[in-house]
Amino acid sequence: MWDVEIRGMASAHAIIAASIFMATIMPAVLVEKFSVYGTHLVWLYSVAGSVAVVNIAVFWLLGISPPTKKNTLSYKLSKLFRSCVYFLLSCLFFHTVVVLYGAPLLESALETFSLAVLLSTFTTLRCLCILGPNVQAWIRVFSRDGAMSVWDTSLQITTGCSVVGAWLGAFPIPLDWDRPWQVWPISCSLGTTIGFLTGLLTAPLWIRWHRKQLTYKLK
Amino acid sequence: MRLSSSVFASFCLLIELLGIALFLRGFFPVPVKSSLSSKSKLSDLPAEPLAGNPNSTKVPPPLFKRVVIILIDALREDFIFGPNGKRFMPYTRHIVERGSSHSFIAKARPPTVTMPRIKALTTGSIPGFIDVVMNLNSPAVLEDNVIWQAKNSGKRIIFYGDDTWVRLFPKHFMEYDGTTSFFVSDYTEVDNNVTRHLDSTLKRDDWDVLILHYLGLDHIGHISGPHSSLIGPKLLEMDDVIKKIHASLISREAEGTLPNLMVLCSDHGMSETGSHGGSSEPEISTPLILISPLFQRKVGLEQPAMVEQVDLAPTLALALALPISQNSVGRLIPAVFEEASLREQLRFLHMNGHQLSSLLRDSNPNFHKEDGYEQFRMAEKTHGNWMKLYMDGNTSEVLGNMGKKLLKQYLEALQAMSAALSKQLGKYDMYSMIVGMSLILQVLVLLVLAMPEALSRAACVDVPVASAFLSLPFYLLCLLGSSIHVLVCTSAEASCYFCSLPWLLAFTAILFSSALLCSLVAMAARYVPIPGSPQPKTSSDWTLSELDILLLTGTVGHTLSLGASSFVEEEHQTWYFLLNTLCLAVFQDVCRKYFRERRRPGDDEEDDPLLPSIAEEDASQATFSPAAELGVSVGSEKWLALSTPILTLACCRLLRSLNQTGVQWAHLPDLSHWLNSGDHKVVLSLLAALSLLLIFLLVQRRCSLVSKIALALGLLGVYSYRAAVGNVLFPWQHSGRSISKGTGEARFVYIFILGILFTGVKDLLRSQVMSSAVEGRRLKSRGLWEVYSGVVLLVALLFRAHNLPTLACCLLIQTLMAQFIWKKLHYDAAQTTIMHYWFGQAFFYFQGNSNNIATVDISVGFVGLESYVEAPAVFLTAFSTYAGPLLWACHLVCYLSSERDRAALSLGHGSYCFALLRSVPAVFYVVLVTALRYHLFIWSVFSPKLLYEAMHTLVTAAVCLP
């Protein structure tokens, strides 16, 4: 059973990772004068969009989402609405944090917000997909020993990796190398993406490696 | 020898301070300076030596009318004299071989960087390392130099080229056009900017000196090295320029006037990779070609003679009939003066010798023993005799021969004196550096080895000194050290500070160092498990929370980041970043405490648990119900605790935009500019008043009544001082008041500061003799707090008006964090200390400092003083510069000693951690600077930081001592 779940997760992660690569390649074909540094926001939103779409599709197909008690349309709609609100709130939250970290307040607010959107896509959206708009469940997963399934653990790992990636990505900005990737927010968004990819890669490996130690409480 | 942790820490810091002082003394050799601060004047020139007769003080007439100096940056000597010279610089080569010229190879001194080399070329001195650091404040050359002398004697100077010159000599040039060397990738524009002026300038007659500084070659070197294909065309271009200037000078050479002189030189060479800064042979060999119709025509290529780069300054000065600049260590180039009469030649040599001998007398206490000085005295005497014969009208061959002999004697004397002078300059004193470094390395190892003991419950460190003194290796090490000392000192050719110390002191140092080494080995041996004996229970319960991981990686990461010059320049960014992360981590801890399994805001998983296996550290603390000290209910306390990190973050963000600092973004407009811009004086006044009010409210809580009143009056005094100086407005006084120095107001505040400090110290002393323990502790903490509030008041006085919010924020954060975070979340002394240290560092930069000497606010030294008095001025400047770290360190002392049952223990832990935190970057930095001493940025970036580090260690030691 373990192996099946891990294999499933690995393939899901592979698909998500592939979507990131596709999102990098596709605009190069479709958009004129596309470059990751030059037209960075295009790249950023294409990655964010494709990851969002693929995430939702994969988790919907796999049926990982928590079982719903009610199956009415209005309930589903309100759930969808709440998810959207949460996503927006998390974008604002990331935006605030990034500004507190020293991003300019007024100028290049669009870039800062785009970074916040990217971060939210990599973290909050996955939470929404796997756990649903349920704050209690989020707190449970992100407190210690709170993971109840392999998916929870993978969520912990990818989220942590993305945030740490963004954090590390900020380091080269003050250096005076005058490289194109030192422009705000390129290094941070690249760091986030690389962190996320690392998270996707490590999560199945880590879980496989530690499967003896991991004991999940029953739901 | 058992020491408590705090005594041990202060002891270590003291030794470290000594080590750093010794290192700095070796790293920054004392510059050779003439004792006279003014510049040389023509009237100071020595008279022609002439026994008996009234001396003639007439200066010999100038040899040249106009001078054109062409400085080609990074022109290596083999670009002209080597095989490539014929190909790329045909005209220059032709002049060197066949024309009327003199060519030399001028040796530059390391560091071969443009700015100090221009200084060397113009002042004739070798700029000391400390000189450059000290002069960062005012880049203009204040020393005596040829350019100033020329301007002073009415010569009109035109300059085109590198704008370093314009910064070095402001207002010296009649006409100038500076090009910035910022864009290294551009190598055509920079030179076209110079050449475009040539045609019009050469046609004109209204100048006497023309200086051209070409940067293109240097840029090509940086891009692609000395063998690139770009070098050839660039050299051809330069050759054309030389040809043009030479032709123009020859065509305008008029009959009956003095000839013109053209000097082709370079500031430094180029290494095989194209960079410069070091001391390799291609970097220090530069060509020096003097071209003038005065000189005899050459008949073939000769091997150019070696001269020093500094020799150009006295040569030019004498040839233009200017006084030689005071601190010049160069000697004139005799070939230039060959065509003058023997009497004039001797006169020139005498003037140069006189200048060198007076410099030698000023800089070296043992100048009588120097060979050169003796020789010069002898030559001077002979010169007098020769002049007597000459004036008598003796024209025999004997006189001529005697004169030639005298000439040789003078030249030898000059060489000896010049060598003696330059021996003291521009060299690292490696022996002192190594001794200092080994001392601080030992201290660091000692600190690290003592960690388990110092942080134990006993907070005592057992340093096995007694056994070390009795052991055999100790005596062997002593002998070894002494013999090395004797060996180095007797064989050293350069001056060495450690050797010039009294022998007793040096041997004490060696004795001490070897004792330290022995006890280190003994301590290390304790940790080696003895085979056979049962393994002691090692630190199995040694678990780290995420906060610990963050604190450790942050400290290590910051230390490592000092290795890159850009990170040193922008160090404030590192600290702000770490501080923000710290606040978020603390926020997470707070959330975990208050929302255990209930509610928690979204996702602040800045380093959230990636590993669920990390042990919980304070699960049992969840039920802890804190006593409401401020009279707040538990519910609102929760919200206050939650908002503290967020408020801290917001404060940090505001303060960060208050003062832009660093190098890259320092020019950007910030809030302090906006506040100081004159139109916003009302806002500034309101802000300052609010901040002072906030400061009062935050500090007065724990003071006695007397100091409360004193504090209030003191803060009022601060405001009226700022109003008197003209920074802020009094609300009831709108009419323009004359701006005074505010000495009265400042002294008024000083009285209150002294009063508060006095009450504090009195309380502290009384607490020592108090019989009841509880009462004593209460009194002690009150006394400490009063001392602290005295410090705050002094800082408030010294800070500029726009920086008062920084102080207010600092106090606010301290109060909130102490009240809701450190106490409630049970952080131990080590964690609290590291957080205090980080906050202190960040506030150092928040108040507008940077790692550049230029940001030190020197005006603070005049607060409350009528005129400049050195001791208080230095103290006040250092105090206000390090106000941030100092305030946080003081707060740490207050906070730790206010802990209920284990104040002494946590104080010991805290001071030990502080010492360790300070030592790690300092030691790392010292080692790094030694390794990078030939780095391109060693002066501009690394050395100021070194001074800051040393100063910071001093301040830390001062705090740790009580």
Side-chain angles (χ1 to χ4, degrees):
Chain A
M1 173 227 169
W2 272 88
D3 282 342
V4 176
E5 261 192 67
I6 293 173
R7 213 169 293 149
M9 178 169 39
S11 46
H13 282 186
I15 294 170
I16 296 171
S19 80
I20 291 181
F21 295 127
M22 278 306 285
T24 315
I25 297 166
M26 284 312 284
V29 181
L30 299 176
V31 184
E32 256 183 83
K33 288 185 191 165
F34 172 82
S35 76
V36 175
Y37 298 154
T39 52
H40 186 68
L41 289 188
V42 175
W43 175 80
L44 196 152
Y45 280 112
S46 105
V47 167
S50 69
V51 168
V53 168
V54 170
N55 251 324
I56 293 170
V58 163
F59 289 112
W60 185 54
L61 285 176
L62 283 177
I64 308 267
S65 327
T68 46
K69 282 156 259 168
K70 288 171 273 179
N71 229 348
T72 58
L73 183 70
S74 64
Y75 180 75
K76 273 187 177 168
L77 273 180
S78 91
K79 211 173 130 184
L80 187 69
F81 178 69
R82 274 192 14 236
S83 298
C84 290
V85 169
Y86 278 14
F87 185 76
L88 212 68
L89 280 179
S90 100
C91 288
L92 287 178
F93 171 78
F94 276 119
H95 188 100
T96 323
V97 169
V98 172
V99 167
L100 285 177
Y101 261 90
L105 185 63
L106 298 177
E107 44 183 307
S108 63
L110 179 65
E111 280 85 351
T112 312
F113 191 73
S114 310
L115 179 67
V117 169
L118 190 73
L119 269 167
S120 302
T121 319
F122 289 163
T123 56
T124 320
L125 192 79
R126 279 173 63 81
C127 291
L128 286 171
C129 286
I130 296 178
L131 305 169
N134 177 359
V135 182
Q136 288 301 325
W138 292 16
I139 293 174
R140 171 180 59 71
V141 169
F142 287 110
S143 54
R144 284 169 183 170
D145 291 334
M148 279 192 193
S149 68
V150 278
W151 289 105
D152 291 359
T153 314
S154 101
L155 199 59
Q156 286 175 349
I157 292 173
T158 48
T159 309
C161 282
S162 316
V163 174
V164 170
W167 191 78
L168 288 176
F171 271 97
I173 295 178
L175 294 172
D176 55 358
W177 294 343
D178 290 328
R179 292 298 144 95
W181 47 265
Q182 279 180 306
V183 180
W184 174 251
I186 297 181
S187 62
C188 275
S189 51
L190 284 183
T192 315
T193 315
I194 293 169
F196 183 62
L197 284 173
T198 322
L200 290 179
L201 182 71
T202 29
L205 293 177
W206 195 86
I207 293 170
R208 207 184 138 67
W209 193 257
H210 288 264
R211 62 190 157 174
K212 297 274 158 53
Q213 287 99 312
L214 285 176
T215 45
Y216 295 121
K217 287 172 245 166
L218 289 174
K219 283 179 192 173
Chain B
M1 194 164 63
R2 285 187 80 76
L3 296 168
S4 79
S5 283
S6 49
V7 177
F8 173 70
S10 346
F11 168 76
C12 284
L13 275 177
L14 273 185
I15 302 171
E16 196 172 294
L17 213 57
L18 286 180
I20 291 186
L22 190 61
F23 178 86
L24 285 183
R25 190 60 176 66
F27 189 73
F28 298 117
V30 184
V32 172
K33 273 266 168 69
S34 163
S35 58
L36 300 165
S37 56
S38 63
K39 294 176 175 165
S40 318
K41 290 186 217 91
L42 273 180
S43 53
D44 296 340
L45 281 182
E48 207 164 3
L50 180 56
N53 284 17
N55 295 342
S56 116
T57 53
K58 205 167 72 59
V59 186
L63 296 180
F64 305 104
K65 183 162 153 258
R66 287 168 148 194
V67 179
V68 179
I69 299 173
I70 308 167
L71 198 160
I72 301 174
D73 214 294
L75 184 67
R76 217 158 78 169
E77 62 64 39
D78 69 326
F79 286 160
I80 291 180
F81 303 131
N84 274 344
K86 226 178 195 104
R87 211 149 46 113
F88 295 132
M89 304 199 78
Y91 186 77
T92 317
R93 190 60 180 259
H94 173 75
I95 295 179
V96 166
E97 284 175 18
R98 306 265 163 212
S100 49
S101 67
H102 289 296
S103 26
F104 308 94
I105 294 176
K107 291 276 176 206
R109 289 297 185 101
T112 43
V113 188
T114 300
M115 201 267 276
R117 297 278 60 81
I118 293 177
K119 277 191 171 178
L121 279 171
T122 52
T123 62
S125 66
I126 300 165
F129 288 84
I130 198 84
D131 249 14
V132 174
V133 174
M134 287 308 164
N135 285 340
L136 287 178
N137 239 351
S138 58
V141 178
L142 301 173
E143 273 179 84
D144 199 358
N145 59 71
V146 182
I147 308 289
W148 185 85
Q149 293 287 0
K151 182 181 172 267
N152 203 36
S153 69
K155 298 234 186 297
R156 292 153 300 177
I157 312 170
I158 295 184
F159 171 77
Y160 300 118
D162 187 359
D163 64 351
T164 311
W165 285 78
V166 183
R167 273 181 279 126
L168 286 176
F169 306 104
K171 296 184 190 155
H172 283 61
F173 304 121
M174 180 183 82
E175 207 181 294
Y176 63 84
D177 181 17
T179 48
T180 166
S181 73
F182 190 70
F183 302 105
V184 174
S185 50
D186 160 42
Y187 51 85
T188 42
E189 261 328 284
V190 276
D191 287 353
N192 290 343
N193 274 344
V194 181
T195 313
R196 64 180 173 171
H197 296 288
L198 265 187
D199 284 325
S200 59
T201 311
L202 287 175
K203 282 199 190 90
R204 283 159 36 188
D205 273 326
D206 60 343
W207 52 267
D208 301 299
V209 181
L210 172 64
I211 303 171
L212 306 169
H213 186 144
Y214 282 99
L215 281 169
L217 188 65
D218 181 49
H219 289 185
I220 292 178
H222 282 297
I223 299 168
S224 51
H227 303 294
S228 103
S229 56
L230 295 168
I231 292 275
K234 182 48 81 179
L235 289 179
L236 279 172
E237 182 193 331
M238 293 294 114
D239 198 45
D240 274 346
V241 169
I242 293 164
K243 187 175 181 178
K244 186 189 266 176
I245 296 172
H246 191 217
S248 150
L249 283 183
I250 284 176
S251 70
R252 301 180 74 80
E253 200 87 40
E255 202 56 43
T257 55
L258 290 170
N260 296 329
L261 172 70
M262 187 168 145
V263 181
L264 174 65
C265 60
S266 172
D267 52 351
H268 51 76
M270 191 189 282
S271 70
E272 280 307 299
T273 53
S275 70
H276 56 87
S279 58
S280 71
E281 196 59 30
E283 278 167 284
I284 62 170
S285 311
T286 65
L288 173 64
I289 301 173
L290 302 160
I291 307 166
S292 172
L294 183 75
F295 305 142
Q296 267 175 1
R297 283 190 171 276
K298 289 272 167 333
V299 286
L301 182 62
E302 299 159 9
Q303 187 55 37
M306 294 282 184
V307 292
E308 292 279 334
Q309 201 177 31
V310 287
D311 294 347
L312 183 64
T315 309
L316 270 183
L318 289 173
L320 294 174
L322 303 170
I324 302 175
S325 35
Q326 261 173 1
N327 296 329
S328 153
V329 296
R331 56 213 163 87
L332 58 82
I333 302 172
V336 176
F337 302 95
E338 263 168 9
E339 302 304 312
S341 70
L342 192 57
R343 183 184 170 186
E344 276 175 357
Q345 284 190 43
L346 289 175
R347 176 84 174 113
F348 284 133
L349 285 167
H350 175 241
M351 272 156 56
N352 195 185
H354 179 84
Q355 175 262 334
L356 281 178
S357 70
S358 47
L359 184 62
L360 192 64
R361 203 163 40 219
D362 284 335
S363 61
N364 191 345
N366 301 327
F367 65 94
H368 289 294
K369 289 180 199 157
E370 291 288 343
D371 291 343
Y373 192 77
E374 271 312 299
Q375 283 173 359
F376 176 67
R377 285 272 154 262
M378 294 283 293
E380 211 173 17
K381 249 180 228 154
T382 326
H383 192 174
N385 292 335
W386 186 86
M387 277 302 289
K388 201 169 173 185
L389 287 177
Y390 182 83
M391 294 305 255
D392 289 345
N394 192 340
T395 49
S396 67
E397 204 174 308
V398 184
L399 191 71
N401 284 340
M402 192 178 155
K404 292 240 170 62
K405 223 185 215 162
L406 180 57
L407 205 73
K408 212 175 265 170
Q409 208 175 344
Y410 260 136
L411 284 175
E412 274 166 16
L414 286 185
Q415 181 166 18
M417 283 196 290
S418 179
L421 280 168
S422 48
K423 206 161 77 176
Q424 305 180 13
L425 288 169
K427 270 194 190 138
Y428 296 107
D429 177 359
M430 274 314 274
Y431 184 50
S432 306
M433 279 163 70
I434 287 172
V435 172
M437 202 158 66
S438 65
L439 210 57
I440 55 175
L441 270 176
Q442 282 177 358
V443 171
L444 181 69
V445 175
L446 183 68
L447 275 170
V448 171
L449 280 181
M451 192 189 302
E453 279 181 85
L455 290 182
S456 66
R457 298 216 171 271
C460 267
V461 181
D462 186 17
V463 185
V465 176
S467 61
F469 268 119
L470 295 174
S471 63
L472 184 63
F474 166 66
Y475 294 107
L476 286 179
L477 270 174
C478 275
L479 276 179
L480 182 70
S482 315
S483 51
I484 290 177
H485 183 69
V486 171
L487 179 73
V488 171
C489 286
T490 47
S491 65
E493 74 272 15
S495 67
C496 165
Y497 177 70
F498 195 60
C499 294
S500 63
L501 281 176
W503 288 83
L504 197 64
L505 208 60
F507 280 124
T508 317
I510 291 169
L511 214 71
F512 180 76
S513 168
S514 25
L516 207 58
L517 199 63
C518 284
S519 29
L520 276 184
V521 173
M523 281 176 84
R526 266 191 240 156
Y527 296 105
V528 179
I530 303 148
S533 70
Q535 195 78 12
K537 190 171 156 280
T538 47
S539 51
S540 56
D541 52 345
W542 182 270
T543 49
L544 295 166
S545 70
E546 295 113 39
L547 195 72
D548 290 333
I549 294 173
L550 172 68
L551 290 174
L552 284 181
T553 47
T555 310
V556 172
H558 163 254
T559 307
L560 290 181
S561 82
L562 292 180
S565 61
S566 331
F567 275 127
V568 174
E569 278 175 350
E570 307 285 330
E571 200 193 343
H572 57 288
Q573 307 272 13
T574 318
W575 282 117
Y576 297 166
F577 201 70
L578 286 178
L579 197 65
N580 276 325
T581 314
L582 175 72
C583 284
L584 283 179
V586 168
F587 184 53
Q588 190 211 10
D589 267 9
V590 178
C591 286
R592 188 172 293 154
K593 177 171 150 55
Y594 286 103
F595 295 99
R596 186 156 288 279
E597 282 299 312
R598 268 184 300 138
R599 236 176 85 39
R600 213 183 84 177
D603 30 355
D604 62 301
E605 49 285 306
E606 201 68 43
D607 64 3
D608 216 282
L610 305 181
L611 317 170
S613 57
I614 292 176
E616 298 201 7
E617 95 269 50
D618 56 356
S620 58
Q621 311 286 353
T623 53
F624 178 72
S625 160
E629 227 178 273
L630 285 181
V632 288
S633 66
V634 180
S636 63
E637 188 199 273
K638 177 173 115 182
W639 291 111
L640 276 171
L642 274 175
S643 60
T644 301
I646 300 171
L647 196 72
T648 311
L649 277 173
C651 275
C652 291
R653 185 67 183 83
L654 271 180
L655 291 179
R656 169 200 269 258
S657 47
L658 186 65
N659 285 311
Q660 281 286 356
T661 176
V663 172
Q664 261 184 296
W665 294 283
H667 59 277
L668 292 183
D670 52 19
L671 280 178
S672 69
H673 278 113
W674 187 82
L675 285 172
N676 285 325
S677 64
D679 309 341
H680 308 109
K681 218 169 185 179
V682 181
V683 184
L684 183 63
S685 310
L686 271 177
L687 201 62
L690 271 180
S691 312
L692 288 176
L693 191 68
L694 190 61
I695 292 168
F696 175 71
L697 288 178
L698 288 172
V699 176
Q700 52 92 24
R701 280 180 303 125
R702 288 157 65 180
C703 292
S704 62
L705 187 66
V706 183
S707 15
K708 260 182 208 174
I709 297 169
L711 186 70
L713 287 174
L715 289 173
L716 271 181
V718 170
Y719 192 81
S720 50
Y721 168 73
R722 284 293 155 201
V725 178
N727 292 137
V728 295
L729 297 167
F730 264 128
W732 55 86
Q733 203 158 30
H734 285 293
S735 58
R737 230 178 74 162
S738 65
I739 291 173
S740 68
K741 285 182 78 179
T743 319
E745 284 87 346
R747 286 187 182 163
F748 174 78
V749 181
Y750 280 137
I751 291 171
F752 284 112
I753 293 169
L754 286 180
I756 295 175
L757 286 178
F758 177 73
T759 16
V761 172
K762 194 188 74 190
D763 279 353
L764 278 181
L765 288 180
R766 263 176 56 202
S767 75
Q768 295 292 325
V769 294
M770 198 69 96
S771 53
S772 137
V774 181
E775 191 68 11
R777 217 186 48 228
R778 206 180 56 78
L779 209 55
K780 190 181 170 199
S781 91
R782 200 177 75 184
L784 274 176
W785 191 262
E786 274 165 349
V787 172
Y788 174 68
S789 56
V791 172
V792 169
L793 189 53
L794 183 55
V795 173
L797 175 65
L798 296 182
F799 266 9
R800 298 200 170 204
H802 70 261
N803 261 341
L804 284 175
T806 320
L807 181 60
C809 280
C810 169
L811 295 175
L812 185 69
I813 294 174
Q814 283 174 354
T815 314
L816 287 177
M817 290 293 254
Q819 204 66 250
F820 298 111
I821 305 289
W822 290 319
K823 267 191 196 141
K824 301 291 182 269
L825 290 186
H826 301 275
Y827 288 133
D828 62 20
Q831 286 169 326
T832 321
T833 309
I834 300 179
M835 286 190 220
H836 269 91
Y837 179 75
W838 284 21
F839 270 108
Q841 286 294 316
F843 270 87
F844 176 74
Y845 296 103
F846 279 144
Q847 64 184 77
N849 286 319
S850 70
N851 280 330
N852 196 332
I853 302 280
T855 50
V856 175
D857 184 4
I858 306 172
S859 65
V860 187
F862 294 92
V863 173
L865 299 174
E866 288 289 355
S867 60
Y868 181 77
V869 190
E870 185 152 2
V874 167
F875 169 75
L876 289 178
T877 312
F879 184 85
S880 92
T881 310
Y882 283 94
L886 203 65
L887 275 176
W888 282 92
C890 287
H891 184 263
L892 179 70
V893 174
C894 287
Y895 171 75
L896 287 181
S897 49
S898 73
E899 284 203 6
R900 262 167 233 290
D901 38 355
R902 41 196 191 101
L905 183 69
S906 41
L907 255 182
H909 288 181
S911 53
Y912 168 77
C913 285
F914 219 68
L916 189 62
L917 278 174
R918 192 78 284 282
S919 313
V920 169
V923 171
F924 177 77
Y925 204 69
V926 162
V927 174
L928 189 91
V929 163
T930 315
L932 294 180
R933 61 189 182 281
Y934 292 121
H935 191 275
L936 200 57
F937 293 140
I938 190 79
W939 286 11
S940 55
V941 177
F942 289 113
S943 303
K945 173 69 184 158
L946 184 68
L947 288 183
Y948 272 113
E949 286 284 322
M951 196 62 209
H952 194 171
T953 313
L954 180 70
V955 171
T956 317
V959 172
C960 266
L961 271 186

